[in-house]
Each structure stands twice: as structure tokens, then as C-alpha cells.
Amino acid sequence: MSSRNVIARGVACLSAMALLLVQGCGAAKARAEPSTVPGLEVALDSGMIRGVEDGDVLRYRGIRYARPPVGELRWRPPQPVARWRGVVPATASGPACPQDNVNPKERSDVEDCLTLDVTVPKQAGLEKAGLEKAGPEKAGGKRKPVMVWLHGGGFVAGRGADYDPRRLAVQGDVVVVTVEFRLGVLGYLALPGMVGGGTFGLQDQQAALRWVRRNAAAFGGDAGNVTLFGESGGGVATCGHLTAPDSRGLFAKAIIQSGTCGTVLLAMPGAPRSPFWRSVKETHAATRTAATRLGCPAGRDAGRILACLRGKPVKDLLPQTGLFQAAAYGGPTLPTSPERALRTGDFARVPVLSGHTSKEALLFAGTLGLAGMPITDENLPALLREGFGSRAGGIARRYRREDYATASEAWAAPYTDAVFACPHAEDRDALARRVPVYAYVFGDDTVPPFIPSPPGFPAGAGHASELLYLFDVKEKPISLDGKPVPLTALQQSVARDMVAAWTSFARTGTPSVSGKPWPRWAATAGTGPVAHLITDRPGSTATTPVPACDRLNGP
């Protein structure tokens, strides 16, 4: 694969250039295989399942929340699961939804993928016999908050089961649900007359939320206290659900991490400018382009085109995913662009926690280096022109090279502000006019790199780095020499603070650490809002000013 293709498909978990990042790296403790517990059964609305006991949590894996979207159900809204008889084992996670991921462990062509996993904290002092008799729904008194996780991958990649929420569940005493949903060409294709076209991935997420509303109590969860949270593409989707009419009432709080309604990826080597929302007409055009490439009939007969596409094997469809990195608005799922809906106040009235890492784009710069295209003083001006066009000269004057130790940092700073910090700040301003909003910046520069970094590459809190502090991720972060990079005792302490903030927000609507609530965001149009700064100092209550976003608006 050429270095340009690596960048086009592997640089950020926000788009097709994100296929490498969120999936292949992370920190996970080695644990014994969980043991099956006879009688660990839960009654769902569709039938009985049996989970497993895994140390201090109970696991229920691979639960169907919708019928397999295969055959005539390909490119249709998710359909209810048929009831089953007997007890179905819920001991293994379902597959990733189809994707042509750079990481071979995440490549998948399995359409039967609409499943979710539930992780439940095991009650302190609860005897196995009592659990077998009562089940988790009777194991405690008060219902627990429920947190529903949307994985990153920029609408084209990722797998929810790669994120182990054990720490969130146990420390925060919450029920956590991780979801698989349709991606790319299978999630966001559309033709005229196609019901729900261009939004099937978002509709899958809504179906999972409806499943949670119906079944949360069976796991001891509170169906009236659900927090939707996601990172990168999952953060963008979470923000989108704030504006989606059919998502109203399905969650009571939202956490938006490193990707929001206003996020648009700027162009960089091998990857064009990439928005996450586009009109349904644009998606119709993209579908016709894909159909032509696949040898399907040309012309305006949408029925014939759809029949042809439904007859194609998944492996033939996946190369067209680059055409389907955005969800479509202009239909019933998203009547208007989520970014516009925020500005007009057309969104759910729920508390929001929103934030990003302090040096998001360092991850992209490191990936460029690994792909053989390091950012240097010689190519920095050209890279700025590629990303910022006619504004590149003004950007270079405002983000002066001499203010940064390396060319990579000089490039990453304006990219971080333009793609992450400023869209998050602007969206928070719009939200805070009507709902409680809290802000964070993850600034722990001691965090292990989410992917191996080239020798001498500057350390910093790059894109997705905060995930190592919230989850055990499928694979440990490794250095270029293949050695694991575990969290230090200090980093683990900071991680406990983050888990406390996230789960206290899920419980009460206000993030807090050690009983100290965070300050609310004030919609002051850039004249002084601050975000809670998460550093390598446990229990920090420091705040940090928002960047001057007008610096990105031209020379």
C-alpha cells in the first residue's frame, strides 16, 4: 500500500483516514478468561440470555438489538429482533460491522453485526448463589445510571467491543453498553425513495438506545437516566443525536469527545477535506458514482440500481466506502444539518459534557511520520496551504514556527484548533444558551502515544489519548520496539479522576471529582469561557482558556 493510501485510510479516527488509529492501540490488563456461571440469566423483551462472571463485573456479550441487515434488509432501517425460545448464551462479542480497515484485526465483511455488549458491576459482597437466584435486576436497590458508548472510526471503521468499560462500570457503579452499528457504504448510502437513506448507521444507534430503554432494568439500570457518549466519529454522532427528532427522549445526558457537530477535517496528504454531514442529494450522487463503478445500471431508475447493489457481495462494496464518510441530512432522521440545528436551538434539552485533547493533531503528524512523510521545516508551508488554502499565510503568522519546538507541533497547533478546539467551543456556546454545558481539555502530555511514534517525536495529548484513561482498550499501546507502555501509578490516578468526572456526570448531570463540581461553560462568545483542564496532577481543578478562534478566520 502506498504511503498516500495509508494516510488516506489511516490517519484519523474521524474519517477514512482514521482507520488505523482507534482500533489497533490501547491499554488492557491481562486477565483470565471469564468463567460461565450457570443461572446467570437475564430476561430481555426478546428472550432469555445467559452472561458470564468476569472478576468484578458481569458480562453480557453479542446481544442482538436488531435483525441482521442482510438480503432485502440491506439499506433498510433496523428491524426488531424476533423473539427466541430457551436461553441464548451471551458470552462472546459480535463481529465488527463491515469495514476495510487498515488494521487487519478489524477488517470485516460480516453484515450480521447489529449487536451490543453490556457490562454490569458485580455488587460488593454479593454471593454467587444469591446472584443465581436473583439475577442482576434484583441484586441491588437503586437503579444504576446507564452509559451507551459509540466508538470512533469516523463513520467508516471501529468496533465497540474493543473498548472494555470495566473501570467505568466498577468505579462509577454504572451499567455500560457498547454498540456495533453499520458503517461506510452499508451505513450511509442513499437513493431517491429509499426510506432512511444516508443515515442507517445513526438509525442503528437509535435502535440500540430504544433497546436500552426497554431492557435497562433487566441489568439493574435506570432507563430514565441514560448517557450517550462517544469519541471522534462517535462524538460527532452523539452531537448529531442531540438534533435528531427520533433520538429525543432516548437519552438524558450526552458526552461529546474529540468530534462535534461542527467538526470538519481539513485536507492533508492523501486525504481531502472531509465533512461529516452532507445533503441527501449529495449522497444520491455519491451512490450513483459507486453504482457505476460496480457495474450497476446507469440512469434514474433507483429500484434497478438498488437491486443490483443488493446483489453485490460485501467485499465488492467496501472499496466504495470513501464515498460514504458522511451522514445525510434532509430526511426524517436528520431534517437539517446538525451544525445548523444547534445554531437555531433545535436540539434536545439535556446536559452536555464536551471536550477534546490539547494536541489532537499530533497523532496525525505522528502517523504521517510513520508513513514516510514527516513534517519538516521544508514542507510545513505546503502542508499549511493544503489544509488552509488562501488562509495559510495568516495561519503561519499567527502560529509562528519559532513558538514551537518542532515543525510537527507548529503544524498540529492550528489544525487542532481549527478541527477540534474551535468547533467544540462554538457548539458549546450554542448549547449553553439553553442547557447546562461543561467543558474539558485533556492536557496530560505524559500519556502514552495511542500509536507508536517515530524516534524523537514530541510527546503530547494527541487525538484519542484520553481513551486510555477511561477504558481498557483491546490492545496495549506499544513502542516501536514492540514493548508495552503501561499507565504509571500517577497516570492511573488521573484516570480515576476522569472516570469519576464522567460517571458523576452520568449520575447527576454535573461532573465532579472528590465531591468538587466542575464550573459550567458560559456562552460568552469567546470573551472568557474556560474549560476544565485534565493534566497529570490528580484532582486538578485548573481551567484553561479557549483559543482565539478568530485567528483561524483569515489573514
Side-chain angles (χ1 to χ4, degrees):
M1 182 182 296
S2 71
S3 59
R4 290 182 67 83
N5 285 338
V6 169
I7 296 304
R9 296 165 55 202
V11 146
C13 58
L14 288 171
S15 75
M17 61 177 160
L19 303 183
L20 175 63
L21 304 183
V22 164
Q23 308 314 311
C25 319
K29 297 178 181 178
R31 300 185 187 274
E33 287 297 315
S35 58
T36 300
V37 179
L40 184 55
E41 297 175 356
V42 171
L44 306 178
D45 64 335
S46 51
M48 296 287 294
I49 60 172
R50 180 185 296 116
V52 296
E53 180 184 27
D54 184 10
D56 48 7
V57 296
L58 310 177
R59 310 274 196 186
Y60 302 86
R61 293 173 164 141
I63 306 169
R64 294 185 187 275
Y65 66 87
R67 291 176 62 188
V70 299
E72 290 301 309
L73 295 186
R74 183 190 280 180
W75 297 308
R76 283 191 62 192
Q79 301 297 303
V81 173
R83 287 191 58 83
W84 60 80
R85 293 182 178 181
V87 180
V88 174
T91 58
S93 300
C97 282
Q99 56 192 279
D100 188 15
N101 201 318
V102 170
N103 179 358
K105 292 186 177 181
E106 294 306 329
R107 291 175 187 163
S108 173
D109 61 0
V110 181
E111 285 187 89
D112 183 0
C113 64
L114 300 186
T115 65
L116 51 80
D117 293 355
V118 181
T119 302
V120 181
K122 193 167 66 176
Q123 296 295 318
L126 185 64
E127 296 296 331
K128 183 184 295 186
L131 177 63
E132 292 172 357
K133 291 177 182 177
E137 74 275 14
K138 296 189 177 71
K142 191 174 181 180
R143 300 290 183 190
K144 302 180 189 304
V146 180
M147 301 183 73
V148 179
W149 172 249
L150 303 182
H151 66 74
F155 293 9
V156 296
R159 185 180 184 224
D162 283 352
Y163 300 85
D164 180 354
R166 179 189 299 268
R167 281 180 276 157
L168 288 164
V170 174
Q171 180 188 326
D173 195 30
V174 298
V175 175
V176 186
V177 181
T178 57
V179 186
E180 314 301 340
F181 40 84
R182 281 176 283 184
L183 303 163
V185 63
L186 292 166
Y188 298 99
L189 178 146
L191 284 165
M194 180 184 284
V195 177
T199 61
F200 299 114
L202 296 179
Q203 291 182 69
D204 291 344
Q205 294 160 11
Q206 291 173 335
L209 287 166
R210 288 192 292 271
W211 182 95
V212 168
R213 184 173 60 185
R214 297 192 307 270
N215 293 287
F219 301 95
D222 183 353
N225 189 10
V226 174
T227 296
L228 184 64
F229 71 133
E231 184 269 345
S232 194
V236 175
T238 298
C239 189
H241 285 296
L242 288 172
T243 74
D246 289 343
S247 298
R248 305 282 172 89
L250 297 179
F251 58 96
K253 306 173 186 71
I255 303 176
I256 303 170
Q257 301 177 216
S258 296
T260 185
C261 287
T263 295
V264 177
L265 284 179
L266 301 181
M268 55 189 299
R273 182 179 182 274
S274 301
F276 286 94
W277 319 110
R278 66 182 175 189
S279 71
V280 69
K281 289 186 178 180
E282 291 175 283
T283 303
H284 291 165
T287 301
R288 295 184 188 283
T289 297
T292 299
R293 292 177 180 176
L294 290 165
C296 289
R300 295 291 174 181
D301 190 335
R304 290 184 63 202
I305 295 173
L306 180 57
C308 177
L309 290 172
R310 280 188 174 143
K312 299 292 182 181
V314 173
K315 63 181 180 62
D316 290 350
L317 297 171
L318 290 179
Q320 306 306 317
T321 282
L323 293 170
F324 301 99
Q325 302 177 44
Y329 61 83
T333 303
L334 294 175
T336 188
S337 161
E339 184 177 16
R340 175 176 174 78
L342 287 193
R343 302 298 178 269
T344 60
D346 188 12
F347 56 82
R349 301 299 193 255
V350 301
V352 175
L353 171 60
S354 160
H356 56 89
T357 72
S358 60
K359 299 177 182 177
E360 295 270 2
L362 269 186
L363 182 69
F364 312 153
T367 306
L368 286 168
L370 291 174
M373 294 180 288
I375 298 173
T376 65
D377 287 327
E378 289 71 28
N379 65 18
L380 176 61
L383 288 172
L384 291 176
R385 285 194 298 274
E386 187 166 10
F388 292 94
S390 62
R391 294 177 293 147
I395 295 296
R397 289 190 293 274
R398 289 166 173 80
Y399 294 81
R400 300 181 305 168
R401 170 65 183 86
E402 56 266 31
D403 293 338
Y404 301 92
T406 65
S408 291
E409 291 166 288
W411 175 84
Y415 197 102
T416 293
D417 285 353
V419 177
F420 298 97
C422 291
H424 268 279
E426 291 159 0
D427 285 2
R428 283 193 295 257
D429 276 356
L431 289 162
R433 295 185 181 98
R434 294 172 173 86
V435 300
V437 175
Y438 301 87
Y440 75 90
V441 176
F442 178 81
D444 187 352
D445 286 334
T446 72
V447 64
F450 210 62
I451 62 170
S453 297
F457 191 79
H463 186 64
S465 57
E466 88 282 14
L467 297 181
L468 301 176
Y469 286 31
L470 295 172
F471 296 93
D472 291 329
V473 191
K474 189 173 183 181
E475 299 173 0
K476 295 180 179 179
I478 57 173
S479 61
L480 285 176
D481 61 8
K483 295 180 180 179
V485 185
L487 294 183
T488 66
L490 184 61
Q491 290 165 345
Q492 291 175 30
S493 180
V494 175
R496 285 191 291 271
D497 284 350
M498 282 194 67
V499 168
W502 264 237
T503 56
S504 62
F505 177 78
R507 179 165 279 102
T508 69
T510 302
S512 62
V513 177
S514 300
K516 298 178 180 178
W518 287 9
R520 282 174 58 168
W521 177 270
T524 53
T527 60
V530 294
H532 193 96
L533 180 63
I534 301 166
T535 69
D536 59 353
R537 293 169 292 164
S540 169
T541 57
T543 56
T544 182
V546 172
C549 294
D550 58 350
R551 295 192 297 175
L552 301 174
N553 293 332

